[in-house]
Amino acid sequence: MLINQIPKQQNQATISVMDQKTVRPPHVLIFPLPLQGPVNSTIKLAELLCLSGLHITLLLTDHIHTKLLKYSNIQSRFSSYPGFHLETIPDGLPEDHPRSIDRFIEVLESLKTKSSILFKDLMTTDSRRPVTCIIADGTMGFTCDVANEIGIPIMYIRTISACCLWVFFCFPNLIESRELPFSGNDLDTPIKSIPGMEEFLRRRDLPLFCRFNLSDPNIKTYLSEGTENPRAHGLILNTFDDLEGPIVSQIRTFCPNLYTIGPLHAHLKLNLESFSSSPPSSNSLWKEDMSCIPWLDSQPSKSVLYVSFGSLAVMSKELWYGLVNSGSRFLWVIRRHSVLSEIIETPPELSKGTEERGCIVEWAPQEKVLAHGGVGGFLTHSGWNATLESVVEGVPMICWPYFLDQQVNSRFVGEVWKLGLDMKDTCDRVIVEKMVRELMEERKEEFRKSADEMAKLAKQCFMVGGSSYCNLQRLINDIKAM
Ligand SMILES: O=c1ccn([C@@H]2O[C@H](COP(=O)(O)OP(=O)(O)O[C@H]3O[C@H](CO)[C@@H](O)[C@H](O)[C@H]3O)[C@@H](O)[C@H]2O)c(=O)[nH]1
């Protein structure tokens, strides 16, 4: 179970490699994409590698670093690892830039043009602690250019789902077969040129930008950065084989050296338990409102629908009407400073139902919430972390995806894994009410059964001998041998 308790034979192999490499102790520089979801999961990878005894430098942009210092316990948590070091670089944007998801291309562009030089300096100036391996988010292709230039091996991590990554890899197929670009409103047309998804993928399940201007050079950059993995030594995915194995096999045809080591949050939790250490922090970029936990304690078992759209803040009044009209209890995360002002005031006809059955917070301790016995369903934007967190806790989902991998994820949740309902593209109050009743009442047994089965598989994968356990050992050994 412990990372350090690897089988004897493997241990011996590792030690002999270490003997030869005493001059350069393994030192990994980890650089997450500066967004809530990727930051959360990549820091969990950093901690897993710290637990295995590797020296780690975590590189954050100043903006993310400031937020993490304010709202998470990152500093005290990592202080117990002697080989851990935190570094920061500016992202090159003015202080008042929102760095929101809808303007994220600007962040990427700035990192590439302004921060890559600093990134290179960082790697070449400190000769006392030379970096022996870089792990960077595959969306930041410039890190690979720098790594190749200075001769340090690099691995990519992608924090989106394997199923969406595979869709990205298949973009040339889609264009060649003229399935993309498409025009018109028939979003139910099947998509046939993505191997493994021919039976169920429709136009509406492709990432949202496929409905708009595909010739946008920003989108092209974003796509190609992410799929030029052969340039890196390996690709780390936050997923597990029982969930996405068939799709992972497809990606392996492009990137043979793949490590599926997720779900990272649960993998880390289990390892920390083995060390009798406290559970990890959530790496939140906003202040968690813990008042929802006592509220959940007072609710009947599995009676609450948890509603959260991650770091996104896309809301609609229709959703609120549907929630209240469903009669379900709900815990709703609304980041008030960034939602439409029209819904900040409670509509008078909704106030009674909201007060009686609802709890609203600005940011929740999500992993704790999903693990709470009072929660019976999750209305989610289908971000990959949210999806995995729900899978691990066996909580069925209603998916209301917004962009990026979320459209693909929600199709898999509804159609392939049968873990809930896909509400994409519709959000009127009647549909919301109907779906909430279906998930929480009418079909709850069916969904809970499949969610429980998947949760069991998720927990087995990082036990000794499980797929994610073995892949993490292989990753650690490969890093030590670099
Ligand atoms: O009240 C809240 C809401 C969210 N979270 C956490 O915030 C993270 C959010 O991650 P995710 O669910 O992946 O959503 P986004 O932040 O929107 O993530 C972006 O990055 C992901 C990949 O990392 C993609 O899958 C998403 O589509 C993309 O929007 C999760 O770990 C949650 O536990 C909280 O702690 N409290």
Side-chain angles (χ1 to χ4, degrees), residues 33 105 108 112 136-144 155-162 164-172 209 217-232 234-237 251 254-255 258 404:
L33 195 66
I105 289 288
L108 272 183
K112 186 175 173 174
D137 195 291
T139 319
M140 300 185 290
F142 71 87
T143 56
C144 200
M155 307 238 193
Y156 273 158
I157 177 168
R158 293 306 305 257
T159 60
I160 56 170
S161 58
C164 183
L165 190 60
W166 181 233
V167 171
F168 285 175
F169 272 104
C170 292
F171 261 67
F209 60 74
N218 285 329
I219 288 174
K220 279 198 176 143
T221 312
Y222 194 63
L223 280 175
S224 63
E225 299 277 25
T227 51
E228 286 178 4
N229 291 295
R231 298 196 306 145
L235 174 64
I236 301 165
L237 293 178
I251 298 178
F254 284 83
C255 315
L258 255 183
L404 204 68

Side-chain angles (χ1 to χ4, degrees), residues 28-33 38 41-42 45-46 49 108 112 116 119 123 132-149 152-160 165 168-169 221-239 251 254-262 264 471-472 474-475 478-479 482:
V28 189
L29 181 128
I30 301 185
F31 190 13
L33 195 66
S41 44
T42 310
L45 169 66
L49 296 183
L108 272 183
K112 186 175 173 174
S116 59
F119 176 68
M123 226 81 58
T132 55
C133 170
I134 299 168
I135 297 180
D137 195 291
T139 319
M140 300 185 290
F142 71 87
T143 56
C144 200
D145 297 334
V146 171
N148 290 342
E149 192 189 326
I152 299 178
I154 182 166
M155 307 238 193
Y156 273 158
I157 177 168
R158 293 306 305 257
T159 60
I160 56 170
L165 190 60
F168 285 175
F169 272 104
T221 312
Y222 194 63
L223 280 175
S224 63
E225 299 277 25
T227 51
E228 286 178 4
N229 291 295
R231 298 196 306 145
H233 280 66
L235 174 64
I236 301 165
L237 293 178
N238 184 16
T239 190
I251 298 178
F254 284 83
C255 315
N257 195 23
L258 255 183
Y259 307 86
T260 48
I261 58 171
L264 279 165
N471 287 333
L472 180 63
R474 186 166 56 85
L475 174 66
D478 290 351
I479 290 172
M482 276 174 170

Side-chain angles (χ1 to χ4, degrees), residues 326-481:
S326 74
S328 177
R329 293 158 202 264
F330 59 90
L331 166 59
W332 192 1
V333 176
I334 305 182
R335 291 184 37 228
R336 282 171 190 266
H337 61 278
S338 48
V339 298
L340 299 173
S341 55
E342 56 149 337
I343 75 151
I344 289 179
E345 294 305 321
T346 313
E349 64 275 31
L350 297 183
S351 54
K352 189 163 174 275
T354 304
E355 270 163 37
E356 278 175 5
R357 296 186 298 278
C359 173
I360 295 178
V361 292
E362 287 211 36
W363 192 252
Q366 182 160 303
E367 287 176 40
K368 285 196 181 72
V369 166
L370 287 168
H372 194 287
V375 172
F378 184 12
L379 174 43
T380 169
H381 70 317
S382 298
W384 191 235
N385 292 290
T387 306
L388 287 177
E389 287 157 9
S390 210
V391 163
V392 167
E393 299 303 339
V395 177
M397 290 166 260
I398 298 174
C399 305
W400 190 39
Y402 182 57
F403 75 166
L404 204 68
D405 55 339
Q406 299 156 18
Q407 269 83 11
V408 190
N409 301 346
S410 64
R411 185 61 169 168
F412 271 73
V413 166
E415 195 62 25
V416 182
W417 304 320
K418 313 280 184 201
L419 298 175
L421 301 161
D422 185 4
M423 192 177 76
K424 70 165 59 92
D425 297 325
T426 51
C427 184
D428 71 57
R429 62 188 75 180
V430 178
I431 291 182
V432 176
E433 178 184 339
K434 182 176 167 296
M435 292 222 163
V436 176
R437 286 185 189 281
E438 216 174 314
L439 193 89
M440 301 296 284
E441 298 166 29
E442 295 147 17
R443 295 175 64 192
K444 67 177 181 195
E445 298 305 336
E446 167 195 339
F447 287 126
R448 280 180 196 165
K449 188 168 175 284
S450 44
D452 279 347
E453 282 165 10
M454 191 58 89
K456 265 191 208 115
L457 294 174
K459 282 173 184 139
Q460 279 162 16
C461 75
F462 39 77
M463 301 290 181
V464 180
S467 57
S468 293
Y469 171 90
C470 294
N471 287 333
L472 180 63
Q473 301 310 323
R474 186 166 56 85
L475 174 66
I476 292 166
N477 288 335
D478 290 351
I479 290 172
K480 285 177 175 172

Side-chain angles (χ1 to χ4, degrees), residues 273-300:
E273 278 164 13
S274 313
F275 281 95
S276 312
S277 191
S278 55
S281 61
S282 64
N283 308 322
S284 268
L285 304 182
W286 290 276
K287 186 171 166 38
E288 290 174 342
D289 184 342
M290 302 304 283
S291 69
C292 56
I293 300 293
W295 181 83
L296 278 175
D297 291 341
S298 66
Q299 306 302 315

Side-chain angles (χ1 to χ4, degrees), residues 89-274:
I89 48 170
D91 60 18
L93 289 167
E95 212 161 300
D96 59 353
H97 190 284
R99 295 164 174 86
S100 49
I101 290 193
D102 53 331
R103 289 181 60 185
F104 194 67
I105 289 288
E106 293 164 38
V107 180
L108 272 183
E109 205 41 44
S110 177
L111 282 169
K112 186 175 173 174
T113 52
K114 298 187 184 144
S115 312
S116 59
I117 299 160
L118 299 169
F119 176 68
K120 185 176 161 191
D121 288 349
L122 196 77
M123 226 81 58
T124 44
T125 46
D126 189 354
S127 55
R128 289 162 304 152
R129 262 179 114 236
V131 171
T132 55
C133 170
I134 299 168
I135 297 180
D137 195 291
T139 319
M140 300 185 290
F142 71 87
T143 56
C144 200
D145 297 334
V146 171
N148 290 342
E149 192 189 326
I150 58 182
I152 299 178
I154 182 166
M155 307 238 193
Y156 273 158
I157 177 168
R158 293 306 305 257
T159 60
I160 56 170
S161 58
C163 46
C164 183
L165 190 60
W166 181 233
V167 171
F168 285 175
F169 272 104
C170 292
F171 261 67
N173 295 7
L174 289 166
I175 290 166
E176 200 181 321
S177 64
R178 295 176 190 273
E179 292 194 281
L180 269 184
F182 60 78
S183 53
N185 293 328
D186 185 8
L187 292 174
D188 288 322
T189 303
I191 293 290
K192 292 290 176 195
S193 42
I194 302 185
M197 300 190 191
E198 302 89 338
E199 299 302 316
F200 54 85
L201 208 75
R202 308 157 299 175
R203 283 178 177 172
R204 72 169 74 250
D205 307 316
L206 292 171
L208 191 68
F209 60 74
C210 296
R211 301 180 196 180
F212 309 116
N213 186 7
L214 270 186
S215 55
D216 180 339
N218 285 329
I219 288 174
K220 279 198 176 143
T221 312
Y222 194 63
L223 280 175
S224 63
E225 299 277 25
T227 51
E228 286 178 4
N229 291 295
R231 298 196 306 145
H233 280 66
L235 174 64
I236 301 165
L237 293 178
N238 184 16
T239 190
F240 60 106
D241 291 355
D242 280 314
L243 186 71
E244 294 196 281
I247 298 298
V248 169
S249 305
Q250 301 276 7
I251 298 178
R252 203 167 268 122
T253 57
F254 284 83
C255 315
N257 195 23
L258 255 183
Y259 307 86
T260 48
I261 58 171
L264 279 165
H265 71 287
H267 202 157
L268 174 62
K269 196 166 165 228
L270 183 87
N271 278 283
L272 287 169
E273 278 164 13
S274 313

